[in-house]
Amino acid sequence: MHRLSIDLGNRGYPILVGRGLLDDPAVLAAAVPARDVLVVTNVTVGPLYLDRLVRGLAGKRVASVALPDGEQYKTLAHLERLFDALVAARMNRDACVVALGGGVVGDMAGFAAACYQRGVDFVQVPTTLLAQVDSSVGGKTGVNHPGGKNLIGAFHQPRAVISDIGTLSTLPARELRAGLAEVIKYGLIADASFLGWIEAHVEALLALDGSALEHAVRRSCELKAEIVAEDEREHGRRALLNLGHTFGHAIETATGYGEWLHGEAVAAGMLMAADFSRRLGWLGATDVERVRRLLERTGLPTRAPAIGASRALELMAMDKKVQAGRVRLVLLPRLGEATVSGDYPAELLSAALVEHFGAAA
Ligand code: NAD
Ligand code: GLY
C-alpha cells in the first residue's frame, strides 16, 4: 500500500493507494473513526462493493443510500435524497459520510457532507480511475446546473481517500479510458517525464496491469496533492488542473450531461488547448501531434461535436475561471508545463472555435 498525504494543516489527510483496501477493517477504522456512517453509492457500484465495505465497517451504525447512476442525476434535486437519508438515520454532527463510487457519487456525497448540519466528516472510497486520480482528492464537491457544470458546490476536504485499485477490474473499458484522460492531463501540465512514462505504458494501462495502474494513480495523486496544498481554493496554480476543462465543460453542457463522459470531453478539450497554444506560437506542430497520438492510442475522442462556435463561447463564458468577462484558458507553453491566460487575441479564439466546433450548430 502507498500512503501519500496532502499537506493542508489541520485539514490534511492521507491518500491510500493499494489492493484490497476497500474492506480492510484496520484501514477503515483509522479512516472512519465515527460511529455513525452513511455510505453513499449508486445502483451500479452498490451491488458490486457495498456489502464488502459494510463488512469492513463492522461495529458501526451504518446506513446506506444508492443514487441512480449517471451524470444527469448530479443535481440539487437528487442531493435531497442524501439529506433525507441522513435525517431518517438520525445522524448528527459526529457522523461520517462515505462516498463509494465514481466522481459523481463523490462530488454529491462530499457536497451533502459539506452542508448537512453545516458540515460533517466524509471519506472518499473512489472506484473509477478518474475518481482515484482526480475527483476524490482536493475537496471540490458539488452538483451541476442546466446552465453549467459544477456551478453549485463547496470546498470540503475529505478526512481520507482510500483508493482500492482492485475495484478497477469491473470498470467498463470506456470509463477506464476516460480516467486515463485525467492521467494524461497531469503529464501535460506538470511532469514531462510522467508524460513519457504514460506513452510507454498505454497498452499496459488499458490492459489493467496492476503495477502500471498503481503507479499512474500514485503519481497523479502526488502531483494533484502538491498543487492543492499550494492553492487549496484555486486562487492561482490549482486552475492548471483544469486543462481542457473550459472547452470540455462546453461539450458536456451542450450535448446534455451524460452523453460525453467527463474524461472524453476533457480529452477533446486538451487537444483544443494544445492547438490554441500552437496558434499562440508556444507549442510546435509536432507537440500537438504528440498529444493527438497519445489520446488516439488511449481510445479517446479528439474531435469536438459540432455544437457551433457561438454556443461554445457562450457556455465557456460560464466557466469559473472567467474574470472581468474574459475567458481564461489553461494553455501549454511547452509539454509538461501549463499557464492560465486570458491574454490572447479574441479573433484567434473565435477562429479556433469555428474550426473545432463548426460555424453554426
Ligand atoms: P461516474 O461517477 O459517472 O462513474 C462512471 C461510471 O462507472 C458510472 O456508470 C459508475 O456507476 C460506474 N462505476 C464506478 N465504479 C465502478 C466500478 N468499480 N466498476 C464498475 N462500474 C463502476 O464518473 P467518473 O468519471 O468517475 O466521474 C466524473 C465526475 O467527476 C463528473 O461529474 C466530474 O465533473 C467530476 N469530477 C470532479 C472533480 C473534483 O475535483 N471534484 C474532478 C474531476 C471530475
Ligand atoms: N479537477 C480540478 C481540481 O480538482 O481542481
Side-chain angles (χ1 to χ4, degrees):
M1 176 174 82
H2 301 282
R3 186 189 172 91
L4 319 173
S5 56
I6 178 155
D7 185 8
L8 287 168
N10 60 8
R11 289 185 316 290
Y13 48 94
I15 302 166
L16 309 175
V17 181
R19 292 180 162 270
L21 306 183
L22 176 76
D23 47 4
D24 182 323
V27 166
L28 292 172
V32 188
R35 188 185 65 102
D36 289 351
V37 178
L38 178 74
V39 180
V40 179
T41 187
N42 74 15
V43 294
T44 305
V45 179
L48 293 169
Y49 299 112
L50 182 62
D51 283 352
R52 274 179 59 190
L53 177 66
V54 171
R55 269 200 301 277
L57 289 166
K60 298 185 186 292
R61 195 168 74 90
V62 182
S64 66
V65 56
L67 292 164
D69 185 359
E71 183 76 34
Q72 64 274 38
Y73 302 110
K74 191 175 136 178
T75 61
L76 272 177
H78 285 87
L79 198 66
E80 274 198 50
R81 295 222 8 221
L82 306 191
F83 298 127
D84 291 346
L86 284 158
V87 173
R90 307 182 72 79
M91 301 261 170
N92 294 316
R93 271 241 171 103
D94 53 5
C96 180
V97 174
V98 176
L100 173 70
V104 169
V105 163
D107 281 10
M108 292 180 74
F111 190 36
C115 302
Y116 185 65
Q117 300 202 5
R118 301 199 180 87
V120 297
D121 277 350
F122 95 108
V123 166
Q124 292 269 20
V125 184
T127 62
T128 64
L129 181 61
L130 185 139
Q132 294 186 353
V133 299
D134 192 354
S135 61
S136 64
V137 174
K140 278 189 183 176
T141 71
V143 294
N144 299 324
H145 185 274
K149 269 282 285 180
N150 299 332
L151 286 187
I152 302 154
F155 285 98
H156 188 57
Q157 298 293 344
R159 52 167 299 135
V161 178
I162 302 170
S163 280
D164 187 337
I165 303 287
T167 60
L168 301 180
S169 63
T170 51
L171 196 63
R174 185 177 170 200
E175 299 292 347
L176 181 75
R177 291 193 292 268
L180 286 172
E182 301 279 11
V183 176
I184 293 168
K185 175 188 81 180
Y186 292 109
L188 290 173
I189 63 170
D191 187 345
S193 70
F194 185 44
L195 184 65
W197 181 89
I198 300 165
E199 288 172 317
H201 292 83
V202 174
E203 283 75 24
L205 291 163
L206 288 169
L208 290 171
D209 176 279
S211 60
L213 282 172
E214 222 164 297
H215 179 74
V217 174
R218 184 170 59 79
R219 185 64 190 137
S220 299
C221 288
E222 274 169 6
L223 290 163
K224 180 155 186 182
E226 190 191 305
I227 292 172
V228 171
E230 202 181 297
D231 178 25
E232 183 184 3
R233 293 279 173 137
E234 200 169 306
H235 297 304
R237 196 164 169 236
R238 183 162 182 174
L240 303 183
L241 294 170
N242 291 321
L243 177 71
H245 285 56
T246 307
F247 299 107
H249 285 171
I251 295 175
E252 284 181 87
T253 307
T255 54
Y257 299 119
E259 188 181 324
W260 276 62
L261 299 184
H262 176 73
E264 292 171 342
V266 166
M270 289 194 297
L271 190 61
M272 283 185 249
D275 174 64
F276 196 59
S277 305
R278 178 191 60 77
R279 289 170 194 249
L280 290 170
W282 293 354
L283 290 186
T286 49
D287 294 321
V288 180
E289 272 320 295
R290 190 174 157 196
V291 178
R292 181 195 305 280
R293 179 84 193 102
L294 179 56
L295 296 173
E296 281 172 357
R297 285 176 62 210
T298 310
L300 285 161
T302 52
R303 273 214 71 78
I307 61 173
S310 56
R311 175 81 175 125
L313 192 58
E314 181 186 69
L315 290 169
M316 286 165 67
M318 285 305 291
D319 189 86
K320 292 185 279 312
K321 287 184 296 307
V322 168
Q323 263 179 12
R326 188 98 190 140
V327 176
R328 291 156 75 242
L329 295 168
V330 183
L331 299 169
L332 299 168
R334 60 183 63 80
L335 298 185
E337 191 185 320
T339 188
V340 182
S341 175
D343 186 18
Y344 51 77
E347 322 78 71
L348 208 59
L349 180 62
S350 303
L353 293 181
V354 168
E355 195 163 306
H356 294 299
F357 289 108

